[in-house]
Amino acid sequence: MTRLRDIRGCFEGVIPSIIATVDGEGMPNISYLSHVYYLDDDHVALSNQYFTKTAANTRTRGHAALILVDGISGRQYQLDITFLRAEAAGELFTRMAAHLKAMSSQQGMAEIMALRSADIYRVTSCIPVPCPDLEGETGPPAAPALDRLGAAARLAAVLGAAPEADSMIDLALEGLDRVFGFRQAMILVPDADGRRLTTLASRGYDSLGIGSEVPAGQGVIGIAADSRLPLRISDMSRGRRYAAAVGGALPVAPRSIPLPGLPEALSQMAVPMIHRGQMLGVLFVESPARFAFLQEDEDALALLAGQLAAGLRLHEAEARDAPGLAPAGTMEPPAPARRIRLRYYRYDDSVFIDEGYLIKGVPGRLLYHLIAIFLREGRQEFTNREIRLAPELRLPEVKDNLETRLILLRRRLEEHQAPLRLIRTGRGRLRLELDGQPTIDVVEDA
Amino acid sequence: MIDATMAAFIEGPVMTVLAARDDALRPSIGRGIGTRCLAGGTLADTLVPRALWPAVTANLHPGWPLALTFVDAASYQSFQVKAQIEALAPADAADLDLARRYRALVMAKLTALGVTNEQMAWWLSERDLMRVRYRPLDLYRQTPGPGAGSRIVAGGAPVAGGTP
């Protein structure tokens, strides 16, 4: 019997799997499966969505026959499997539901394709389907395999040595490109209320899209964040065509910064960045190629995501503990020639500069706070500590992720080429630089 | 049973899978390579490469049940036929022609979907072909979605509202 671990390429969902069962009257039945999930060398799991006939037959008769196809070589395998049990909750169910939701949410079909149960089967036989036309065929020579674990460990060490969070983030995206060849990547961080994720950094796209948002629970990124589990899709076109067969339409995003992204991505992977139980962000990569990310890549990214999460948390703590020296006064007067017109909407903390949308949420509130202090006191130097203690910012007392939000705000100002900048002047210290005299209108209602 | 529209679909470049069962009612599965409809849609032939699919071909016997699916890989439009096997025979020259035409059409279709020749070579063999002739009994729509599994034709009679 072929070991299931040696045919992992059959479990990527690139080429559909097919299942045959027998009904109570002895009539065979065939269903296509959107995905067969590898559990271990002796077990697989099938998603029970529409396959009521298949589900009923396997519960009655116990047995099923499968065709699995390797997504890269095309090689086929024939499996005999025996139904063990159905799970409607638990880690496996959550992982499968998240994966199916991500596939179907490409077309807004999350409800229709909802998972009923994760059906677990024991594999009693797994044999390659012979092909006389290809006798002696060994397939194309394998590309030299990247030692992903070693590469991830080395990159994790580089991230661990980064002196501050800003450079750690850049080193992570640069490393994913240079070491792993993952050219398109993003890091997103959750908002305070957990309802959306905001792009903190990106690489490999036409625009950086800093400050662009993804709703929690939607798409590969939002679902990975919600489920706190890695999510990998190897052939988006299949999901699109499959969902199109069911019918549906794309949801339209409200006012926002466009999310950077490949319009024709065929592979996507999102890995939550978790440290001590807290979800601090999502590391996301995508590719225009099918099958761009393997299980080993998912494992490598999980290692890096953990390192990033720990790094963000550590830099956050360091900035929090930085000495709260008395903030210095204005270092140099702003050039008076230019007027910088800001508008702040209190209901969603959004800030506009000269009619252009900048950012919303906590980073918007932070910017408003800094500008207000400048207008009131003429002060341009700030410490994280005093910002954290400002009651009007309504930051949570613990885990406010202030440093991350300041990085987001600083990067967004840079990308926007705004006439004001935040400069990091030391651990837990920053300076507001202005190209002119700001004014700020506050809009109280929506 | 199989009307002209449905015959055109299942005789076209559609992925073809067949399933049978053994004495102990255990299922077996394999791929077909070309189908023709006969006798006004009351009979059909599907070709199966025996060397690839020994388990399913061992379970093909006259009078035994057979299920077949026909799937358009581009649109996922798919139908399932439940049938009774009528006869089995080694493929003749006409069958080989049919398999070769089918193979060419399917390769063109899958190539457009990004499938490579190397991948398809594993699925589309014309060697050691067997012809299974069967009598369709029921026809089901299997396109993914809430309507999947609905019966279109039962026992030779169309079901109300069930036209494909």
Side-chain angles (χ1 to χ4, degrees):
Chain A
M1 175 162 135
T2 301
R3 290 191 309 185
L4 298 190
R5 81 178 77 162
D6 295 329
I7 60 166
R8 293 292 288 265
C10 292
F11 301 101
E12 299 292 342
V14 174
I15 295 171
S17 305
I18 313 162
I19 186 168
T21 55
V22 178
D23 71 13
E25 294 165 353
M27 176 59 82
N29 187 70
I30 303 166
S31 275
Y32 275 68
L33 299 170
S34 59
H35 216 95
V36 173
Y37 295 83
Y38 167 89
L39 300 184
D40 58 41
D41 272 351
D42 297 313
H43 298 90
V44 294
L46 306 184
S47 59
N48 176 17
Q49 296 157 270
Y50 302 128
F51 313 117
T52 49
K53 183 82 175 168
T54 295
N57 289 353
T58 53
R59 282 157 179 75
T60 306
R61 297 267 178 217
H63 303 292
L66 282 179
I67 297 175
L68 299 185
V69 184
D70 183 289
I72 291 176
S73 69
R75 191 150 203 181
Q76 307 182 99
Y77 298 85
Q78 203 174 314
L79 279 69
D80 291 325
I81 59 176
T82 302
F83 177 72
L84 290 181
R85 65 183 182 278
E87 294 183 356
E91 193 267 342
L92 174 66
F93 179 85
T94 306
R95 182 156 60 90
M96 285 171 61
H99 180 263
L100 291 166
K101 189 178 174 194
M103 297 235 313
S104 52
S105 75
Q106 301 295 325
Q107 295 283 330
M109 301 305 300
E111 294 309 315
I112 291 177
M113 292 177 68
L115 181 66
R116 292 179 182 180
S117 65
D119 290 359
I120 298 173
Y121 292 78
R122 186 160 51 82
V123 178
T124 55
S125 163
C126 172
I127 53 170
V129 175
C131 188
D133 301 350
L134 297 168
E135 262 170 22
E137 186 75 46
T138 54
L146 171 70
D147 169 19
R148 290 179 174 80
L149 181 60
R154 284 188 290 279
L155 184 51
V158 170
L159 302 186
E164 31 89 17
D166 239 348
S167 58
M168 178 185 72
I169 290 161
D170 290 333
L171 285 167
L173 297 185
E174 189 268 334
L176 286 176
D177 184 349
R178 180 175 46 80
V179 180
F180 290 87
F182 300 163
R183 310 236 174 280
Q184 282 80 28
M186 285 184 235
I187 293 172
L188 300 96
V189 291
D191 280 20
D193 57 12
R195 284 188 305 196
R196 57 182 180 251
L197 294 115
T198 307
T199 305
L200 178 66
S202 76
R203 183 181 169 100
Y205 298 103
D206 290 342
S207 73
L208 289 172
I210 308 297
S212 56
E213 294 166 357
V214 174
Q218 287 187 25
V220 171
I221 294 166
I223 294 168
D226 248 19
S227 66
R228 295 171 161 241
L229 292 166
L231 199 48
R232 181 163 52 91
I233 295 184
S234 298
D235 186 352
M236 308 281 289
S237 73
R238 251 203 75 200
R240 279 195 281 269
R241 282 186 284 124
Y242 190 81
V246 187
L250 277 170
V252 178
R255 169 186 98 182
S256 60
I257 299 163
L259 184 76
L262 294 175
E264 296 299 323
L266 289 181
S267 300
Q268 290 188 334
M269 176 160 62
V271 181
M273 294 157 44
I274 294 176
H275 181 67
R276 299 182 72 175
Q278 194 190 359
M279 208 277 294
L280 294 168
V282 171
L283 181 56
F284 172 77
V285 291
E286 62 182 335
S287 166
R290 279 187 176 84
F291 228 141
F293 312 118
L294 307 175
Q295 178 64 48
E296 293 87 336
D297 296 315
E298 183 181 315
D299 296 341
L301 239 66
L303 196 155
L304 293 171
Q307 179 76 351
L308 277 169
L312 283 182
R313 177 52 69 221
L314 182 66
H315 293 299
E316 197 76 56
E318 284 181 349
R320 177 186 289 266
D321 295 339
L325 298 175
T330 304
M331 301 299 285
E332 55 198 79
R338 178 159 180 197
R339 178 165 278 243
I340 305 169
R341 292 189 309 113
L342 296 110
R343 195 176 325 119
Y344 171 63
Y345 291 84
R346 207 179 287 280
Y347 81 99
D348 66 350
D349 296 308
S350 58
V351 175
F352 288 71
I353 299 180
D354 295 333
E355 305 303 327
Y357 170 68
L358 184 77
I359 200 137
K360 66 181 168 218
V362 174
R365 210 186 305 161
L366 283 169
L367 181 59
Y368 169 67
H369 175 73
L370 301 179
I371 296 283
I373 290 178
F374 171 77
L375 290 173
R376 202 165 56 234
E377 305 172 16
R379 182 153 66 85
Q380 287 176 267
E381 301 281 335
F382 304 91
T383 67
N384 279 24
R385 176 170 291 188
E386 59 145 324
I387 293 171
R388 181 166 280 117
L389 294 174
E392 62 270 34
L393 282 174
R394 310 185 303 278
L395 295 175
E397 283 191 20
V398 290
K399 296 176 181 171
D400 54 25
N401 301 327
L402 174 63
E403 184 72 4
T404 308
R405 295 180 204 292
L406 287 169
I407 292 172
L408 171 55
L409 177 57
R410 184 158 63 237
R411 287 176 179 238
R412 174 61 184 150
L413 287 166
E414 273 173 29
E415 187 191 7
H416 193 69
Q417 297 180 315
L420 54 134
R421 288 165 299 284
L422 285 181
I423 308 296
R424 192 175 187 273
T425 52
R427 183 184 297 171
R429 302 180 64 81
L430 56 100
R431 195 154 80 88
L432 176 67
E433 286 190 352
L434 296 147
D435 293 341
Q437 177 63 36
T439 62
I440 190 154
D441 298 326
V442 178
V443 182
E444 297 292 343
D445 298 319
Chain B
M1 176 68 201
I2 307 276
D3 67 17
T5 307
M6 186 57 66
F9 182 81
I10 69 175
E11 289 179 342
V14 287
M15 299 310 290
T16 302
V17 172
L18 62 168
R21 48 91 171 161
D22 64 11
D23 283 336
L25 301 176
R26 289 175 181 243
S28 50
I29 189 167
R31 290 187 194 273
I33 178 155
T35 296
R36 71 165 71 85
C37 293
L38 303 161
T42 57
L43 290 173
D45 288 343
T46 290
L47 305 168
V48 193
R50 250 186 306 218
L52 271 68
W53 305 106
V56 76
T57 47
N59 288 327
L60 302 178
H61 309 288
W64 283 38
L66 180 70
L68 303 103
T69 52
F70 303 94
V71 178
D72 180 336
S75 68
Y76 281 92
Q77 194 179 25
S78 54
F79 298 94
Q80 181 158 187
V81 172
K82 300 297 175 89
Q84 179 174 299
I85 298 170
E86 291 283 320
L88 299 149
D92 61 19
D95 293 330
L96 192 57
D97 272 354
L98 170 62
R100 285 182 177 149
R101 279 200 310 276
Y102 169 86
R103 179 185 161 112
L105 288 172
V106 166
M107 287 183 81
K109 182 147 207 162
L110 294 185
T111 299
L113 294 175
V115 182
T116 65
N117 287 350
E118 291 74 20
Q119 291 173 318
M120 287 184 267
W122 291 101
W123 320 330
L124 300 172
S125 173
E126 306 143 9
R127 291 212 199 173
D128 192 21
L129 286 184
M130 176 184 210
R131 182 205 316 135
V132 53
R133 177 160 296 173
Y134 49 91
R135 182 174 301 281
L137 303 174
D138 290 328
L139 175 63
Y140 295 87
R141 183 192 313 280
Q142 214 166 359
T143 306
S150 61
R151 188 180 289 192
I152 299 167
V153 185
V159 173
T163 306

